[in-house]
Amino acid sequence: MADSYDVVVVGGGTGGYSCALRSAQLGKRVALVERDERLGGTCLLRGCIPTKALLQSAAVMDAVTRADEFGISAKGEPDWPAVRAFEDRIVDKLVSGVTGLLKARKVDVIRGTAAIGPGPSVVVDGRTIAATDVVIATGSRPKLLPGVEVSEHVITSDQALWYPNIPTSAIVIGAGAVGLEFASFYRSMGAEVTIVEALPRIAPLEDEALSKELARAYRRRGIAMHAGARVQSIGEAGGRATVTIDVNGQATTLTADICLVATGRAPVTDGLGLEAAGVATDRGFVKVDGQFRTTVPHVWAVGDVASTPLQLAHVAYTEGIAAAERIAGIAVADIDYLGIPRVTYCTPEVASVGRTEEQARAEGRDVEVEVFNFQGVGKANIVGEGGIVKVVAEKGGAVLGVHMVGPWVTEQLSGGYLAVNWEATVAEIAEFIQPHPSLTELFGETVLSLTGRSLNA
Ligand code: FAD
């Protein structure tokens, strides 16, 4: 009996623990297999939480650097061991929180590396555990460019968290969320930063207006950027990282203390025995349908390892819960990935939900668009930071997309999030009154402007 469960989850990250907790809540006997010493996976140990702790230290540094603008005399400099100690404290607290929750729900945590066996079952270091249902939640790891290896001066986000010092200069390859956040962090800490992006613009998956506004802000912060740049080589010479790039046929060699490669993340499936178990993959990711079923009955996959569109913690969390409910026989609607909030915690922050203007037009919709600047809002002037809000709507109809760059926009997206997911119309949202003075006034004003009633347009 001890080696037989209703649900065995492989992987103790966000997707895995949310699935285990919800399964236990639904009355299942659950085991969770994790090979790392600690639970929490990428988000808690190497991703969202430690990087946001670093970015909080960066925000304090920025406030000190700009203190005189606000009439305060202050001087300060980063103390890297203390910054890391702050980061560790936050991580430790949250890891123990998750560990406690699993214990309280009586989920058996099994330490070791799992493979998928027949039945289905899970084999953990030679021990077979029978299960009615198995959930694969093994996550992802940083993807390096072909031929590039991690070394003293060439690192990924994993090594950046434990690097012995703050570099005085950094080349960041890749201008997606991870690259943009580290570029922002290093710059706040005083480093010379250069971003290299293969696609024509930074934040390439966002609405073009956001990319342009962010590029302006980064330029003002003194961050150099090469978009549309092909990396020809990455290496080390004379104790520094060297990167040769090609922009419009022109080769340039850049050097810096470190080169951080942030070119995406690859699924972790090594040793899982997927092929032998008959679990199909799609470009390396475990192939799932809209309900997280793999090609083998009673074997499911969620989170970064699954072939679903977004690699984000709140996506893994939602998928884990949805899979647990499906396993328990509860009808669950397919997730609408377009309605999921996308967030990047650089300075200024980036947040968006729904369709970009380009996507809405490509669908053949009759689209109207409004863009407002944070400088038109009193609170943004007090905070001393700029940015934009862009709303994409069906002419005279529903809000299709909300796109923001600016101070704390990751906290302000919720109004736009509700509007898009509730399929609210511009006229309905324009009725809501925003508090004054607040940064959320800008979303309200942008929507109001689409009704032709803004006094500021
Ligand atoms: P993971 O968290 O990777 O967990 C997988 C677990 O499975 C790991 O603990 C691993 O040890 C275990 N495992 C793997 N193979 C086996 C095996 N064979 N046997 C047993 N155990 C195994 N997302 C956001 O939403 N917001 C953010 O701000 C954000 N910031 C990020 C910053 C960085 C630098 C990075 C790298 C990622 C960030 N993410 C962010 C993404 C987020 O961390 C991931 O989407 C999320 O953690 C994925 O969860 P998961 O459960 O799918 O996988």
Side-chain angles (χ1 to χ4, degrees), residues 144-151 154-155 231-235 259 261:
L144 285 158
L145 293 167
V148 176
E149 278 179 19
V150 167
S151 60
V154 178
I155 63 173
V231 173
Q232 290 184 326
S233 67
I234 300 177
C259 168
V261 183

Side-chain angles (χ1 to χ4, degrees), residues 10 59 86 113 122 125 131 142 150 170 177 210 234 254 264 274 292 314 327 350 357 360 364 366 378 390 423:
V10 181
F86 164 64
T113 300
V122 166
D125 301 327
V150 167
L210 262 56
I234 300 177
L254 310 164
L274 294 182
F292 313 107
H314 44 284
I327 289 168
V350 179
E357 181 179 350
D366 193 6
K390 174 171 177 175
E423 297 173 8

Side-chain angles (χ1 to χ4, degrees), residues 194-388:
T194 305
I195 296 175
V196 176
E197 168 58 51
L199 292 169
R201 55 190 169 92
I202 65 166
L205 303 182
E206 297 290 354
D207 189 283
E208 200 170 345
L210 262 56
S211 296
K212 281 189 180 147
E213 183 63 24
L214 186 66
R216 260 195 294 275
Y218 267 29
R219 232 173 275 125
R220 272 198 301 274
R221 293 188 63 195
I223 296 174
M225 285 159 286
H226 300 278
R230 275 193 318 119
V231 173
Q232 290 184 326
S233 67
I234 300 177
E236 293 191 349
R240 284 168 77 75
T242 26
V243 177
T244 302
I245 57 170
D246 177 320
V247 189
N248 298 328
Q250 191 86 28
T252 308
T253 297
L254 310 164
T255 68
D257 275 358
I258 59 144
C259 168
L260 188 148
V261 183
T263 47
R265 295 181 60 84
V268 173
T269 54
D270 48 287
L272 275 177
L274 294 182
E275 208 178 320
V279 177
T281 55
D282 178 5
R283 284 160 296 139
F285 293 89
V286 178
K287 195 171 171 185
V288 290
D289 63 12
Q291 298 279 307
F292 313 107
R293 283 180 289 241
T294 69
T295 46
V296 173
H298 295 282
V299 177
W300 312 71
V302 298
D304 283 8
V305 76
S307 62
T308 52
L310 292 167
Q311 288 182 316
L312 287 166
H314 44 284
V315 173
Y317 190 79
T318 309
E319 291 179 350
I321 291 170
E325 293 180 349
R326 283 297 308 155
I327 289 168
I330 299 170
V332 178
D334 284 9
I335 293 173
D336 171 11
Y337 288 90
L338 206 53
I340 287 175
R342 306 171 290 261
V343 282
T344 306
Y345 296 81
C346 46
T347 301
E349 291 186 346
V350 179
S352 64
V353 63
R355 292 166 178 81
T356 63
E357 181 179 350
E358 197 183 346
Q359 283 169 335
R361 291 198 191 283
E363 288 174 4
R365 292 168 185 271
D366 193 6
V367 169
E368 57 182 354
V369 166
E370 191 60 81
V371 183
F372 261 55
N373 198 298
F374 269 106
Q375 287 309 304
V377 168
K379 182 67 183 280
N381 284 274
I382 295 165
V383 169
E385 287 181 42
I388 58 164

Side-chain angles (χ1 to χ4, degrees), residues 366 368 392-400 423-428 450:
D366 193 6
E368 57 182 354
V392 180
E394 194 104 56
K395 210 167 216 155
V399 178
L400 300 172
E423 297 173 8
T425 64
V426 164
E428 285 166 336
L450 284 167

Side-chain angles (χ1 to χ4, degrees), residues 11 14-15 34-35 42-43 48 52 114 137-139 265 303-304 312-314:
T14 317
E34 172 54 59
R35 67 180 173 193
T42 304
C43 174
C48 330
K52 265 81 264 181
T138 48
R265 295 181 60 84
D304 283 8
L312 287 166
H314 44 284

